[in-house]
Structure formats: C-alpha cells, structure tokens
C-alpha cells in the first residue's frame, strides 16, 4: 500500500486522542457481497445543469473530528484542493469534502467508514472531475435523524445534495453500502445519473442470501449484517468497545492491512457521539424497507453503463454477477491483492479502473464546454 505523507495541517495529530467536544460526528460481506469549498477552480457544467454552487447558502465551515482539518495523513496538497462543506438540502444537513475541476463525480462511502475512505483516490480524480465525497445520513459530520435510512430516502438525499450544489446530472461511485445507494440512485432517478461504478457489496432482494448455518469463513464475513439490524442491544454491546468491534471488521475484511491511524480515525468518529452508533446501524435496520424497494427496482433493469469492482480477496467477480441481474451494460474489474477496502488497499488499481470507465463522461463534458476565442 502506498505511503501517505502527513497532512500539512498541524491538526493531523489531534486524532491521537478523543476530542474534548463532540462536534461530529462496508459492510464487507465476503463471498456474497454485502469531496468543494470555494478554493477550487470553476467546475465544468454538464448540459442542462445549473451553474455549480450557484444557490448554496453559506454555512459554518466544518472543523471538528471528521472534517478535512482533523483528518490524519492526507496525501500531499490535499487541503489545497479539498475543503469540508456543510450542505443544507432542505431535509437535513450533509457534510461533504469537495474539490477539483470538471464534471461532477459523487463518491458514496460504505460502512463503517466516512468520506475519508476515498482520500487516496480523490486527488487524481480531481484533475478531471469536481469530486464530491459525502458523509451519508447518520454518518460522520452529517445529520443523524432517527429515520430515513432506506435506500430510496438515501438516494433522494444524494439528489438533493447535488441539486443544492447546482448539479442536475452526475456520475456516481459507491462502495459497500454506497453500492445499494448508487443502485437506488440509478434506478429511481435515471435522468440524473450518467455512469455508475460500484464496489464490494450485495443488493438486498437481488443477491442470493447465504444459508443460516454456513461455513465459518462466510459466517465471519457476514455475521455483522444481522447483528447491525438489531434494536438497541447492538449499541449497548458496542458502546465503549468500539475499537474491538469496528477494529475487528477492518482487520478481518482486508488483505492489505489498513494503517492503524486510519482505523483509529474511523473508531474515534464512531465513539465520539451517542447518535453515531445509531446512525451507523441505520442502513441495516432499514433493510426490510430497502428489500421491498429493490423488489420493484429489479423489474426495470438499468440501461446506463455500470462498472462492478471486486477485491480478489473478497467478493471478486461476484459484484459483477450481482449487477448483471439488474443492469444490461456491466463491466467487471477484479483487483488482485485486495480485500474489501479496495479504495484504501489498492488505490492505484482502483484509479485505473475508474479513470478508464469515466473517460467517456469526462470527454463529453469537455466537448460541451464553451471554447475560448482568441
């Protein structure tokens, strides 16, 4: 795994301890699968889109745990391109890390991560795209309401976020729980999504479920799903032991071990506020509703191009097998030497796959951009 240099900010070391104020704030499923502030250049607007950021009202700049300011070991120059933003969608306030120049590209993280999961691929993507790496509802610095964790609502959150930033059409990359959200976006809002890349997850009501009593390997990879769906008792068991539960999840689903500082960062966010655990489990507790929604969605196969990415040490080609059940145009990439956390374990291979897949989207935007006259 490439070395990451220290962040230019002196705040890099803040995460070595729990914050004094609570500012805050994929499920790796094994064989079956279950970032802008005002500092970047002006984005290219896709045809039919409003000017980017044209009607976004100013909001406080996020500076607490979970923001760019306190993110450890960011790539060199990261904070010159990316800033944390609060975006009011009308229904809730979302946190996003935004930067770059080009057509809009929405990155949706998985469980139990935040926008920080994309940090190693964001600088390169920002050369060609306006990158928006969001914290999902209930996660990181985004609002944590008690309801709204089904994928229809989560997809609507993403549409509202992009509208607030001035974008009517965009491309999406979703990992882990971000994969079902990305699928819901493409299925529920086909006029909004140009291309969809997904990684390392299953789709409720689409991917075949494993037996209740399966192999030890499958059980080790999947037991968190029914556990996360429980009411109250999972929070009671995990609270105060976040490092044990979430640390185990990161360790057992990786081929290339994630750096200790990254795992510590995620754990500190999850332990920093009582609502953080509830928000973290929200996606799983809404699975009954999402399953009913997916039963309807799968009747209308996707027609847009889809890239399905799997780690060879995790889901591999099963991601593409799942997407082929709900989409006509699916491209498959299996990343060797990677487990579940593909954007962190194998960022260069992930970038290569995304760059090739997103090139037509990028090139159309460039052709649509007005040419300067002499």
């Amino acid at each position: 795994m490439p070395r990451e240099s220290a962040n230019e900010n002196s705040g890099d070391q803040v995460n070595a301890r729990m914050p004094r104020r609570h500012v805050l704030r994929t499920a790796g499923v094994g064989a079956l699968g279950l970032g802008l502030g005002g500092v970047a250049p002006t984005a290219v607007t896709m045809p039919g889109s409003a000017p980017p950021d044209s009607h976004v009202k100013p909001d406080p700049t996020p500076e607490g745990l979970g923001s760019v300011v306190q993110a450890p070991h960011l790539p060199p120059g990261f904070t010159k391109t990316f800033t944390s933003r609060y975006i009011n969608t009308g229904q809730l306030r979302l946190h996003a890390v935004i930067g770059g120049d080009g057509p809009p590209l929405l990155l949706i993280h998985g469980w139990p991560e935040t926008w920080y999961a994309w940090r190693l691929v964001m600088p390169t993507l920002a050369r060609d795209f306006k990158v928006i790496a969001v914290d999902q509802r209930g996660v990181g610095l985004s609002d944590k309401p008690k309801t709204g964790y089904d994928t229809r609502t989560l997809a609507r959150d993403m549409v509202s976020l992009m509208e607030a930033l001035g974008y009517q059409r965009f491309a999406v990359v979703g990992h882990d729980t971000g994969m079902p959200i990305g699928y819901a976006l493409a299925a529920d809002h086909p006029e909004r999504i140009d291309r969809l890349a997904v990684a390392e997850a299953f789709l409720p009501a689409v991917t075949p479920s494993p037996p209740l009593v399966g192999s030890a390997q499958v059980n080790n990879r999947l037991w968190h799903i029914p556990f996360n769906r429980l009411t109250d008792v999972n929070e009671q068991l995990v609270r105060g032991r976040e490092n044990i539960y979430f640390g185990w999840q990161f360790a057992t689903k990786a081929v290339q071990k994630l750096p200790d500082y990254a795992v510590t960062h995620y754990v500190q966010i999850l332990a920093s506020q009582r609502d953080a655990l509830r928000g973290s489990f929200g996606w799983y507790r809404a699975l009954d509703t999402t399953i009913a929604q997916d039963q309807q969605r799968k009747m209308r196969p996707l027609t847009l191009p889809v890239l399905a990415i799997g780690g060879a040490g995790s889901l591999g080609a099963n991601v593409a097998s799942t997407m082929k059940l709900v989409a006509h145009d699916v491209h498959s990439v299996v990343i060797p030497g990677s487990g579940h956390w593909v954007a962190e374990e194998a960022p260069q291979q992930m970038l290569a796959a995304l760059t090739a897949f997103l090139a037509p989207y990028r090139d159309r935007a460039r052709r649509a951009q007005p040419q300067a006259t002499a």
Side-chain angles (χ1 to χ4, degrees), residues 166-185:
Y167 296 116
Q168 296 299 314
R169 190 167 175 84
F170 48 95
V172 177
V173 183
H175 169 258
D176 190 76
T177 56
M179 173 171 157
I181 297 170
Y183 169 58
L185 265 168

Side-chain angles (χ1 to χ4, degrees), residues 50-58 85 88 160-168:
D53 303 349
S54 59
H55 54 282
V56 177
K57 294 182 180 180
R85 288 268 300 277
N88 281 298
S160 298
L161 167 74
M162 298 304 280
E163 282 186 337
L165 291 170
Y167 296 116
Q168 296 299 314

Side-chain angles (χ1 to χ4, degrees), residues 40 53 66 87 138 174 176 185-186 198-199 213 219 235 273-274 305 312 316 359 369:
D53 303 349
I87 311 297
D176 190 76
L185 265 168
V198 294
V213 180
N219 186 71
E235 293 177 42
Q273 188 181 89
R274 290 190 66 85
Q369 185 179 17

Side-chain angles (χ1 to χ4, degrees), residues 155-344:
R156 194 178 301 124
D157 286 347
M158 300 299 103
V159 170
S160 298
L161 167 74
M162 298 304 280
E163 282 186 337
L165 291 170
Y167 296 116
Q168 296 299 314
R169 190 167 175 84
F170 48 95
V172 177
V173 183
H175 169 258
D176 190 76
T177 56
M179 173 171 157
I181 297 170
Y183 169 58
L185 265 168
D188 297 356
H189 307 275
E191 75 286 354
R192 302 281 188 170
I193 312 304
D194 191 283
R195 290 191 159 225
L196 172 66
V198 294
E200 280 291 312
F202 77 110
L203 294 179
V206 176
T207 307
S209 295
L212 178 62
V213 180
S215 69
Q217 181 184 26
V218 171
N219 186 71
N220 283 342
R221 290 181 179 273
L222 300 182
W223 71 273
H224 69 282
I225 300 173
F227 178 82
N228 288 357
R229 296 181 72 178
L230 298 173
T231 302
D232 298 329
V233 68
N234 46 14
E235 293 177 42
Q236 295 168 11
L237 291 170
V238 173
R239 185 166 288 113
R241 305 177 183 89
E242 291 88 353
N243 61 322
I244 297 174
Y245 181 58
F246 295 108
W248 192 92
Q249 299 294 336
F250 283 111
T252 58
K253 294 175 175 62
V255 171
Q256 303 293 330
K257 181 178 179 293
L258 271 61
D260 290 342
Y261 63 77
V263 175
T264 297
H265 180 64
Y266 292 128
V267 170
Q268 287 180 339
I269 290 173
L270 288 157
S272 67
Q273 188 181 89
R274 290 190 66 85
D275 285 349
L277 282 179
R278 175 175 54 75
S280 172
F281 295 144
W283 187 92
Y284 297 88
R285 289 170 174 167
L287 271 173
D288 284 350
T289 303
T290 292
I291 287 169
Q293 294 167 0
D294 277 358
Q295 291 282 7
Q296 297 300 314
R297 293 181 181 118
K298 68 181 184 180
M299 305 301 292
R300 306 180 305 276
L302 304 180
T303 58
L304 82 172
V306 176
L307 174 64
I309 302 172
S314 184
L315 300 185
N318 289 319
V319 182
S321 297
T322 288
M323 293 308 301
K324 287 176 181 178
L325 298 174
V326 296
H328 293 308
D329 184 6
V330 179
H331 309 257
S332 178
V333 171
V334 176
I335 298 180
S338 178
H340 178 67
W341 319 104
V342 286
E344 296 182 87

Side-chain angles (χ1 to χ4, degrees), residues 47-86:
S49 296
D53 303 349
S54 59
H55 54 282
V56 177
K57 294 182 180 180
D59 225 324
T61 300
E63 295 181 346
L65 179 63
S67 70
V68 167
V69 173
Q70 293 201 27
H73 297 276
L74 294 173
F78 192 95
T79 57
K80 295 179 180 178
T81 301
F82 295 98
T83 57
S84 280
R85 288 268 300 277
Y86 282 128

